[in-house]
Amino acid sequence: PSPKLLFINGKTFATPIRVIQFLALVAVMSVVYPYIARAVPNFVKYPSMLGRNSLEVFCAASLLSLWSQIIRYAWPGGIVLDTLILAMGIFLMGLVAWLTEWRDRVVRKS
């Protein structure tokens, strides 16, 4: 590869600058996360739940993305439809994560 490819800040390759940015983000979030969790615990619970159940959420999000594209093609509504699709997607991904955790709790009890 050409030497200039080492310094491109694109998402296609894991160039040194991208790795440094990722590590910097991890370092900052590891310091800031406890303060955020203490300040707004309910806000932190939701994305944490999505992260714990990332495989199921990813599968659901893939299907939701397909359905959303079909809906968007069938009804070219604009910003109201886009906002509704986005809100429903976030809600449904949370529902999938919650159902996964609920299922795990039921299986552990029995």
Side-chain angles (χ1 to χ4, degrees):
S2 179
K4 70 177 183 178
L5 293 178
L6 290 175
F7 303 102
I8 292 176
N9 193 15
K11 293 183 180 181
T12 305
F13 304 106
T15 60
I17 190 74
R18 296 285 296 167
V19 173
I20 291 169
Q21 286 176 341
F22 173 73
L23 292 175
L25 183 63
V26 168
V28 168
M29 284 307 295
S30 66
V31 171
V32 174
Y33 179 80
Y35 298 109
I36 296 172
R38 207 172 308 127
V40 280
N42 290 332
F43 177 75
V44 172
K45 286 180 186 176
Y46 190 79
S48 296
M49 181 176 60
L50 294 178
R52 280 191 304 271
N53 304 293
S54 58
L55 179 61
E56 292 87 351
V57 170
F58 175 77
C59 293
S62 297
L63 293 174
L64 289 170
S65 173
L66 175 64
W67 293 336
S68 299
Q69 288 179 17
I70 292 170
I71 290 170
R72 188 69 176 99
Y73 179 77
W75 295 302
I79 193 162
V80 173
L81 182 61
D82 290 346
T83 304
L84 181 65
I85 288 172
L86 181 67
M88 286 300 297
I90 292 171
F91 170 76
L92 290 173
M93 286 189 300
L95 181 65
V96 166
W98 182 82
L99 286 172
T100 302
E101 289 192 350
W102 174 75
R103 182 195 64 200
D104 291 343
R105 281 192 302 266
V106 169
V107 168
R108 265 188 250 127
K109 284 183 181 179
S110 55

